[in-house]
Amino acid sequence: MTRALRKALLNTLVFPFTLASGLPCTCDRSGQEPLKFRRDGKFRILQLSDIHEIDSELVADTKPESVEKSRKAMQVIELAVKHTKPDLVVFTGDNIAGTWEKFTWDSAAKTIRKIVGPIAERNIPLAVVFGNHDAELGILKEFQTCIFCEYKNCRMSMNAEEMSGCGTYNLTIKDSEGKKDIFNLWMFDSGDYHPGGGYNFVQTDQIEWYERTSTKLRKKNGGVPLPSILFQHIIIPEVYDCLTPVPEGTPGAFRGDPGYEDKWYKFEDYEAFESCDEPPSPPAINNGQFDSWLRQGDVLAAVFGHDHINSFIVRNKGIRLIQSIGAGYNTYGNKRGGRIFDLDEKDIRNFTTRTVTIDELPKLEGK
C-alpha cells in the first residue's frame, strides 16, 4: 500500500472513528524510553500468538458459547504477563477474531483494548504484528494499529517506511547501561492470502527495506551484523527443508501442506520438539525472505504463530525456525500458552527459549 493510498484510507475510514472517540491516530514512538537490558544484563520477551479474541459485550449478546472461551484466553494473557514478568510482549498475529462476521469497527477497537489491558496495567512495552485473519473481513490493519497505539507504551508502527502491508518495523535493544544498541528485533507483516491461492508472503519491498536497515545497523555496529530475532505470523517455506521426507504411512508422519502435499514428512532432526499436530502452513510461493537473512547474517532466529497446535525448533543453515502454540480459545487447539525468550548481554547470541502453557504459568513466579 502506497503512502498516498494509506493516507486516503485513514482519512476516509479511520480518522472519522478516532476523532469521534477522542483517539489520535498516531504511532509516534519518539517520546518513549528505549528498550534496554535490565541491570542484571537480562532481557525477557513474551510471545503471545493467535489470541483470536472477541469483544466481551458483543460475544455475550451474539455468541454466548464463546464467553467462557474469551474468559480463558484473557486468563492466558493475564497469567502470562503476571508470572513471566517480561520486558517486552510481542503479539504475533491473529490477535482478534477478524473472520467473525459480527465484528464492527467499534467492537474490533474494544477487543484490541481488551487484550492490551493486562499489559497496559503493568506498563510493559508491547510490539504487534498482524496475521492472515486480523483484517480478513475488512477491519483495516491501519485502523487496528491506531487502536493498539492508544496504549502509550506500544512500540509498533504502521510501517517503518513506505512499503507493502502494515506493521513492518524494527526495535533495537540497548545494553544495560543504555549506551549502545546490542540487539535488534524485526517485526514483519507476512500478509494474508495470495490471489493465486494459498497464503501470502513477505513482499519484495519489505525484504529490500530489511536489507537496507540491516546494513545500516551493521555499519553502526562496527561492521558486525547486529544480532536479531525476527517475528512474523506465517512460517516460511524453508521449514520443509528441515523435515525428513518419508513413505506414506510412516508412523508419526504427515502429509505436507498445499504446495508440499506430494510428500509425507517427519521430524527427525530438531533442536526442540513438542508437537506438530498439523502440517506447517507456509506460502506455496517462496519470495526469497530466508535467503535475504542469509545474505545479511544478522537473524539468529525467526519466530512464527499461525499453526496453533505446533511447537518446535529446527535449524536451517544456522538460523533457528521457531513455531509457537496459540494463546486463544476461539479457534482450534489442544494447548494454550505463550513462549518466553531470555537474552543475556554477556552471551548475546545464545538466547534460551521455551513454551509456557496455561497450566505451567502459575508455577513460573520468579523463574
Side-chain angles (χ1 to χ4, degrees), residues 31-81:
Q32 295 172 330
E33 289 293 319
L35 298 176
K36 69 177 185 177
F37 282 75
R38 302 190 303 265
R39 291 182 179 179
D40 62 1
K42 312 293 185 182
F43 191 92
R44 171 170 283 186
I45 301 168
L46 169 66
Q47 177 202 10
L48 294 170
S49 194
D50 296 271
I51 303 170
H52 286 265
E53 195 46 68
I54 303 172
D55 169 42
S56 299
E57 296 176 9
L58 191 60
V59 80
D61 290 340
T62 61
K63 203 172 184 181
E65 68 275 13
S66 287
V67 171
E68 177 64 11
K69 293 178 181 179
S70 291
R71 185 195 68 79
K72 291 168 70 175
M74 291 306 299
Q75 185 180 38
V76 171
I77 300 173
E78 179 73 34
L79 290 176
V81 297

Side-chain angles (χ1 to χ4, degrees), residues 258-276:
Y260 309 88
E261 70 272 21
D262 58 332
K263 293 182 180 179
W264 289 69
Y265 298 88
K266 188 175 182 180
F267 275 84
E268 291 186 344
D269 184 14
Y270 50 83
E271 179 178 323
F273 180 80
E274 293 168 344
S275 63
C276 185

Side-chain angles (χ1 to χ4, degrees), residues 157-360:
S157 63
M158 297 282 184
N159 272 336
E161 62 180 50
E162 184 175 332
M163 67 182 111
S164 300
C166 178
T168 295
Y169 55 100
N170 74 295
L171 300 169
T172 55
I173 310 175
K174 293 186 179 298
D175 61 22
S176 55
E177 295 182 354
K179 294 181 178 179
K180 180 184 178 182
D181 292 332
I182 62 172
F183 205 82
N184 181 59
L185 304 173
W186 299 105
M187 305 288 164
F188 272 87
D189 179 5
S190 54
D192 39 50
Y193 303 98
H194 189 267
Y199 293 110
N200 217 331
F201 44 81
V202 169
Q203 301 298 302
T204 300
D205 59 352
Q206 294 172 280
I207 294 173
E208 291 171 346
W209 164 81
Y210 154 71
E211 293 190 351
R212 287 194 303 273
T213 308
S214 173
T215 298
K216 291 177 183 177
L217 292 173
R218 182 176 68 236
K219 290 179 179 178
K220 190 176 178 181
N221 196 43
V224 179
L226 192 63
S228 305
I229 296 177
L230 183 146
F231 292 90
Q232 68 185 47
H233 185 68
I234 299 175
I235 199 165
I236 58 173
E238 281 78 5
V239 66
Y240 277 92
D241 296 342
C242 305
L243 307 179
T244 303
V246 294
E248 181 179 349
T250 299
F254 55 86
R255 190 176 185 179
D257 210 49
Y260 309 88
E261 70 272 21
D262 58 332
K263 293 182 180 179
W264 289 69
Y265 298 88
K266 188 175 182 180
F267 275 84
E268 291 186 344
D269 184 14
Y270 50 83
E271 179 178 323
F273 180 80
E274 293 168 344
S275 63
C276 185
D277 296 326
E278 63 177 323
S281 302
I285 297 172
N286 191 327
N287 199 38
Q289 188 185 18
F290 180 76
D291 289 340
S292 75
W293 305 342
L294 295 177
R295 286 193 296 270
Q296 294 301 117
D298 59 341
V299 175
L300 305 177
V303 187
F304 312 96
H306 191 46
D307 299 323
H308 309 168
I309 51 181
N310 292 349
S311 179
F312 56 78
I313 304 173
V314 292
R315 286 185 183 262
N316 192 332
K317 298 181 180 179
I319 298 176
R320 295 158 101 178
L321 306 181
I322 302 175
Q323 175 72 65
S324 300
I325 59 173
Y329 288 79
N330 281 308
T331 184
Y332 65 92
N334 47 21
K335 285 186 179 180
R336 269 69 173 202
R339 178 180 287 275
I340 54 177
F341 298 82
D342 287 312
L343 286 67
D344 187 335
E345 67 178 346
K346 294 180 180 178
D347 190 12
I348 197 66
R349 299 182 66 86
N350 293 313
F351 66 88
T352 61
T353 181
R354 58 188 169 120
T355 297
V356 285
T357 66
I358 187 171
D359 295 328
E360 297 167 323

